[in-house]
Amino acid sequence: MIAKIIAQELKKIAKEAQDAGVLPEGIKLRFQVEPPKIEAHGDYATNIALSLAGQAKRNPRELASWFVERLSPKKDLFAKIEVAGPGFINFFIAPEYWQQVPKVIEKHGENYGRVPLGEGRKIQVEFVSANPTGPLHIGHGRGAAVGDTLSRILSFAGFQVVKEYYINDVGRQMQILGRSVYLRAKEISGEKIEFPEDHYRGEYIKDIARKLLEKEPGLLNLPEEKAISLAREFAVREILNGIKKDLEDFGVRYDEWFSEKTLYDSSQVDKALKLLKEKGLLYEKEGAVWFKASEFGDEKDRVVIRATGEPTYFASDIAYHFNKFFTRGFDEVVDIWGADHHGYIPRLKAVIKAFGLDENRLKVILIQMVNLLEGGKLKSMSTRAGEFVTLRELIDEVGKDATRFIFLTRRADSPLDFDVELAKKQSRENPVYYVQYAHARLASLFRKAHEENITPPKPEDAELSLLKEPEDFTLLKLLDYFPDTIEAAAAKFEPHLLTFYLLDLATALHDYYTKHRFLSEDLALSKARLVLAKGVKQVIKTGLNLLGVSAPEKM
């Protein structure tokens, strides 16, 4: 939070500088306030003078000195401010500021860390959206962890969030699914069949076929087309129910399950394409209808209606995003896709621009694959062949908490090695255990305090000036940085920043335990440290809740 306070003060002084003629009107304020790389350079540093020097045609050190003179009187915030190097400003924060952080946490409680970044804007986060052709694999699980956690963080940062799963229940894959189940049903009934290579081959297809035959014993007496249609509808229902159950057990609950089929039933595909046609952005060639994507930055134009008259998947996506922005009025939209869809981004951005919208209202996050390490072997994930590790198997083996947390220990666009044995360890090596143990350790501390008849005081009744050890300030600074972490994670759409933060906070807490006692013969010091511990416990709990991970009281 102090970084934001510094930034606000700098903006105020920059305005005063314009009024005084030190800076010209119309300058662009682009600067950072962040911890310097070298600890001796203070708690925070800014490049504002360097950023403005060129625009103002002034010496950056002189400009930095002008800012420092106006900041120096704020003794409640700064112990020292100095100009360094070519014009950086280094801030040494007053101990009194850090020592009041627990009061701020106590005041806000579980709402500490909330920021008004979103200002109530409506944002839709669409994630997982796997075709209902088989169970979710661990790659889908990573997308679910990223999407759900990002949604929680965005909501905490002041956005109105809608979490959505887009059901691809139209097209060729659905036909193949229906035929796969139908052929397995014939096989189960004793008929010898030639099973096509491009059909779904997993054991789950046989299970669905058995269930279907129990429900519809006369299935194979029906005309083939009708039987395949019946098999398709049954399979989609069964698979979707399994997907919903797996996601719920993974802590993911959607606000909307949106069917692709409804886009056709409600004529929204026709409506969206009509708008593009009226803008002169569709044309016919070789019997097909094309969208002029190349006019909006894509490498080439794209087919929306095939020569057969059948719409492409792209036509559905055009209508779906038309629905998001125009029918439902979202201010921003986040699509979370597998990394293999990276080439699809330019064409969808082209559609957004063709609609007359700012392309930045659409954010696409790509999820890299997960390599599952078990006994030194990498397991493949081919849905059709059926040789893949499901999300359900992983949850059952290592638990929801470990699975979610470890999925968030890397940037979404970086490959992730998931070590199953590590995820089951109860040791410092296991990141989720390490953070959860920090929370449980603090819970144990408060139980011990109760046994010793030490009642943790309100922060205003404690001598917080006694929190003066280096390890005290490390914890206090991290606690102060929590709202900034939330804002950064929301603004950059990077939920892993919260995971990194919690690991840093847990490390600082465990380090504190090795060097200091929270409870001692010095009652005043014990009470001050209990106030600090309460703040740390609250922030860890809030952070874990945002990750969708439990904060245990005992381990």
Side-chain angles (χ1 to χ4, degrees):
M1 281 171 60
I2 187 64
K4 185 168 277 190
I5 293 169
I6 294 170
Q8 288 167 347
E9 289 294 328
L10 292 171
K11 287 175 185 174
K12 195 188 300 178
I13 294 169
K15 178 69 171 65
E16 291 172 9
Q18 287 176 294
D19 295 340
V22 175
L23 292 174
E25 291 294 326
I27 56 164
K28 292 181 180 177
L29 274 180
R30 293 176 184 148
F31 65 95
Q32 287 84 41
V33 178
E34 53 194 9
K37 290 176 181 169
I38 300 172
E39 196 174 329
H41 292 172
D43 297 302
Y44 284 91
T46 183
N47 63 342
I48 190 167
L50 291 161
S51 174
L52 294 173
Q55 298 179 64
K57 295 183 172 57
R58 293 180 67 96
N59 180 290
R61 281 189 66 88
E62 288 179 9
L63 200 52
S65 297
W66 198 89
F67 274 89
V68 168
E69 285 171 18
R70 280 144 189 83
L71 285 163
S72 293
K74 297 188 173 293
K75 298 293 185 186
D76 58 329
L77 287 180
F78 308 119
K80 183 173 71 170
I81 310 173
E82 62 182 23
V83 177
F88 290 103
I89 302 173
N90 293 340
F91 300 90
F92 296 79
I93 308 304
E96 294 78 13
Y97 172 82
W98 299 123
Q99 289 161 346
Q100 59 77 45
V101 170
K103 293 181 182 177
V104 180
I105 298 173
E106 178 77 18
K107 178 183 175 184
H108 294 283
E110 62 185 20
N111 289 315
Y112 177 69
R114 283 189 184 273
V115 291
L117 179 71
E119 298 179 328
R121 295 197 303 278
K122 287 177 65 180
I123 187 167
Q124 184 227 38
V125 184
E126 183 232 318
F127 57 101
V128 182
S129 298
N131 289 347
T133 54
L136 299 179
H137 58 58
I138 61 173
H140 297 134
R142 189 181 187 190
V146 170
D148 187 59
T149 302
L150 176 61
S151 298
R152 292 168 188 245
I153 291 171
L154 289 170
S155 180
F156 204 60
F159 289 88
Q160 290 184 60
V161 181
V162 171
K163 295 187 285 186
E164 186 155 302
Y165 190 112
Y166 179 61
I167 308 166
N168 300 99
D169 50 4
V170 173
R172 184 169 177 269
Q173 298 310 317
M174 294 300 99
Q175 296 298 328
I176 290 176
L177 174 66
R179 196 159 185 273
S180 299
V181 172
Y182 172 71
L183 291 175
R184 288 304 187 200
K186 291 179 79 170
E187 191 177 61
I188 289 165
S189 299
E191 195 172 327
K192 282 197 172 183
I193 59 156
E194 194 73 35
F195 201 85
E197 281 294 323
D198 66 345
H199 281 37
Y200 295 99
R201 310 173 72 81
E203 191 64 34
Y204 67 95
I205 295 293
K206 294 179 183 176
D207 293 339
I208 292 171
R210 289 188 192 97
K211 286 183 184 177
L212 178 58
L213 285 171
E214 285 175 16
K215 191 181 177 205
E216 302 286 346
L219 177 79
L220 302 180
N221 297 325
L222 296 173
E224 184 172 303
E225 191 175 326
K226 187 173 181 181
I228 289 174
S229 176
L230 195 65
R232 182 185 70 242
E233 289 173 17
F234 183 80
V236 168
R237 262 196 320 275
E238 283 289 307
I239 291 170
L240 210 49
N241 285 337
I243 286 172
K244 288 180 180 180
K245 179 70 167 64
D246 287 351
L247 288 168
E248 282 181 11
D249 290 348
F250 197 47
V252 179
R253 287 174 177 79
Y254 287 92
D255 301 301
E256 298 285 344
W257 291 79
F258 192 101
S259 163
E260 180 183 358
K261 190 170 179 292
T262 64
L263 293 172
Y264 290 93
D265 294 344
S266 60
S267 302
Q268 289 193 67
V269 175
D270 293 338
K271 193 182 297 183
L273 295 183
K274 183 183 177 186
L275 174 63
L276 294 178
K277 187 175 182 180
E278 288 170 353
K279 287 173 171 273
L281 298 174
L282 298 183
Y283 65 92
E284 288 190 32
K285 187 178 80 172
E286 298 169 354
V289 178
W290 298 68
F291 165 58
K292 296 180 180 179
S294 59
E295 289 189 13
F296 299 94
D298 196 7
E299 61 181 359
K300 60 183 181 181
D301 293 346
R302 305 290 178 178
V303 176
V304 291
I305 305 291
R306 298 185 181 91
T308 59
E310 184 186 5
T312 61
Y313 282 120
F314 186 42
S316 297
D317 284 335
I318 291 171
Y320 184 37
H321 286 79
F322 178 88
N323 173 278
K324 293 183 185 194
F325 286 109
F326 293 102
T327 306
R328 289 187 280 170
F330 289 110
D331 298 301
E332 296 175 61
V333 163
V334 181
D335 289 352
I336 299 179
W337 301 340
D340 55 336
H341 286 73
H342 69 278
Y344 209 80
I345 297 174
R347 74 184 73 174
L348 202 50
K349 290 274 189 181
V351 169
I352 302 303
K353 286 188 274 188
F355 283 151
L357 302 173
D358 180 351
E359 65 174 298
N360 293 317
R361 288 176 64 182
L362 170 67
K363 169 72 175 174
V364 178
I365 297 172
L366 296 176
I367 304 291
Q368 277 287 355
M369 288 299 291
V370 180
N371 298 314
L372 190 67
L373 304 179
E374 194 168 30
K377 287 185 179 179
L378 290 179
K379 296 202 174 185
S380 67
M381 291 181 292
S382 164
T383 310
R384 287 207 184 153
E387 297 167 1
F388 59 92
V389 177
T390 66
L391 175 60
R392 166 59 59 191
E393 288 173 308
L394 197 59
I395 295 171
D396 289 346
E397 185 159 4
V398 305
K400 169 183 77 76
D401 287 349
T403 304
R404 285 187 67 125
F405 196 99
I406 292 171
F407 277 154
L408 294 161
T409 53
R410 293 285 183 276
R411 288 175 57 99
D413 58 2
S414 298
L416 174 74
D417 289 339
F418 193 113
D419 188 327
V420 173
E421 299 309 314
L422 176 67
K424 292 191 284 190
K425 278 185 180 178
Q426 294 192 352
S427 72
R428 175 178 186 143
E429 299 168 71
N430 181 350
V432 66
Y433 179 84
Y434 192 60
V435 176
Q436 288 180 316
Y437 180 55
H439 186 271
R441 202 171 195 182
L442 290 169
S444 174
L445 168 68
F446 285 103
R447 289 194 295 273
K448 188 176 180 185
H450 179 72
E451 289 168 8
E452 296 183 15
N453 295 316
I454 301 174
T455 304
K458 294 285 185 187
E460 57 269 23
D461 298 328
E463 295 179 52
L464 298 182
S465 59
L466 297 173
L467 300 174
K468 55 190 179 185
E469 299 292 342
E471 292 77 22
D472 289 316
F473 287 115
T474 297
L475 283 173
L476 290 165
K477 289 174 185 180
L478 279 167
L479 294 177
D480 183 73
Y481 192 63
F482 183 56
D484 298 320
T485 300
I486 296 298
E487 185 160 336
K492 296 177 181 179
F493 299 93
E494 294 182 348
H496 71 277
L497 294 178
L498 177 56
T499 313
F500 289 4
Y501 170 86
L502 289 175
L503 285 165
D504 286 344
L505 185 57
T507 298
L509 187 276
H510 293 311
D511 183 55
Y512 196 98
Y513 262 95
T514 64
K515 295 175 181 174
H516 304 288
R517 292 171 60 198
F518 276 97
L519 300 178
S520 66
E521 292 76 20
D522 187 333
L523 186 59
L525 180 59
S526 295
K527 288 190 173 185
R529 286 180 172 172
L530 283 172
V531 169
L532 172 60
K534 186 179 180 184
V536 175
K537 184 172 183 283
Q538 177 61 68
V539 168
I540 291 176
K541 182 177 182 180
T542 301
L544 287 173
N545 285 344
L546 289 171
L547 295 182
V549 174
S550 66
E553 295 284 311
K554 292 181 180 180
M555 289 182 77

